[in-house]
Amino acid sequence: MTIGLVGRKVGMTRIFTDDGSTLPVTVLDVSDNRITQIKTPEKDGYAAVQVTFGKRRASRVRKPLAGHLAKAAVEAGRLLKEFRAKAEDLANLKVGGKIGVDLFKVGQKVDVQGVTIGKGFSGVIKRHHFSSNRATHGNSISHNKPGSTGQNQSPGRVFPGKRMAGHLGDVTRTVSNLTVVRVDPERQLLLVKGAVPGSRGRDVVVRPAAKV
């Protein structure tokens, strides 16, 4: 089953195993995943389930989306995500229902998608890990500069995609094959081993690992 859950990153902590060793884990809140639409091959051309997470004020929801959610009798959420699946996997799901954390089990491999922390405008050393020039012997305050970026007469331009200074972070990234360490059905929490992209409180998408 390729159906996943939408939630938010609570933060990082650690837990202790039976032998006394410690594991760094990220706590993910995947509670209250509400089904807003179920797509079928007959009607939509493919099978998928659409879920929403969180809460959003009615005044912040556009009218087309508000009508879509009203048709499903689902409260508006701050995040809407669609998961492709097989038609037989959607047989037990219904619009307006919920998907819980019991979708995953301890030891399962998952892929977690999030938005990385934005770091603003950064130079080439921080952004692309360039090595700095030496700061002595005639170097005139250019030891942390990118160096020459131009070309000769042919082609006489800078190629697109050249690694230069610019905006760093704030991009969508997926961490693959994280292990589910603990599942908390009561609080609808998921604990995965390792780090997850984004800061505390940011939205994340958890789905079964595509490449185990």
Side-chain angles (χ1 to χ4, degrees), residues 49-90:
V49 57
Q50 187 186 87
V51 298
T52 187
F53 167 81
K55 294 182 180 181
R56 175 173 289 183
R57 289 180 294 175
S59 60
R60 295 292 183 180
V61 182
R62 296 182 182 273
K63 288 185 178 180
L65 180 58
H68 176 67
L69 297 174
K71 183 179 178 181
V74 172
E75 183 183 4
R78 70 169 184 262
L79 188 63
L80 198 67
K81 185 68 178 178
E82 184 179 288
F83 297 99
R84 291 284 190 105
K86 296 180 180 179
E88 52 268 22
D89 295 336
L90 306 177

Side-chain angles (χ1 to χ4, degrees), residues 4 126 172:
K126 181 176 181 180
T172 302

Side-chain angles (χ1 to χ4, degrees), residues 2-212:
T2 57
I3 300 175
L5 295 174
V6 184
R8 68 181 181 91
K9 178 179 177 179
V10 179
M12 290 198 71
T13 183
R14 63 175 179 171
I15 60 175
F16 293 93
T17 60
D18 295 335
D19 59 0
S21 59
T22 179
L23 289 177
V25 296
T26 303
V27 183
L28 305 177
D29 177 14
V30 290
S31 61
D32 202 19
N33 271 247
R34 309 177 294 278
I35 301 176
T36 58
Q37 186 180 5
I38 295 178
K39 298 188 176 182
T40 60
E42 295 78 17
K43 184 177 180 180
D44 304 286
Y46 64 98
V49 57
Q50 187 186 87
V51 298
T52 187
F53 167 81
K55 294 182 180 181
R56 175 173 289 183
R57 289 180 294 175
S59 60
R60 295 292 183 180
V61 182
R62 296 182 182 273
K63 288 185 178 180
L65 180 58
H68 176 67
L69 297 174
K71 183 179 178 181
V74 172
E75 183 183 4
R78 70 169 184 262
L79 188 63
L80 198 67
K81 185 68 178 178
E82 184 179 288
F83 297 99
R84 291 284 190 105
K86 296 180 180 179
E88 52 268 22
D89 295 336
L90 306 177
N92 297 327
L93 303 179
K94 61 179 181 179
V95 176
K98 294 183 179 181
I99 305 178
V101 73
D102 52 357
L103 198 67
F104 299 102
K105 57 185 179 181
V106 176
Q108 182 178 354
K109 298 291 186 178
V110 294
D111 296 340
V112 182
Q113 183 185 83
V115 179
T116 60
I117 298 175
K119 300 181 182 300
F121 190 94
S122 301
V124 292
I125 293 178
K126 181 176 181 180
R127 190 184 186 202
H128 300 297
H129 309 292
F130 280 19
S131 61
S132 59
N133 300 315
R134 64 185 189 180
T136 58
H137 293 277
N139 193 327
S140 183
I141 320 178
S142 62
H143 58 285
N144 282 344
K145 304 299 182 183
S148 176
T149 59
Q151 302 288 336
N152 53 13
Q153 186 173 358
S154 176
R157 62 189 179 89
V158 177
F159 291 120
K162 187 173 181 62
R163 294 183 296 171
M164 302 177 75
H167 188 263
L168 176 62
D170 196 28
V171 291
T172 302
R173 287 289 180 265
T174 302
V175 177
S176 302
N177 290 326
L178 295 178
T179 305
V180 177
V181 177
R182 186 175 297 173
V183 177
D184 190 342
E186 295 182 0
R187 293 181 290 180
Q188 291 291 299
L189 297 178
L190 202 63
L191 276 66
V192 295
K193 181 181 177 182
V196 167
S199 57
R200 291 189 297 269
R202 293 298 296 265
D203 297 328
V204 294
V205 178
V206 187
R207 52 168 61 91
K211 300 177 181 179
V212 180

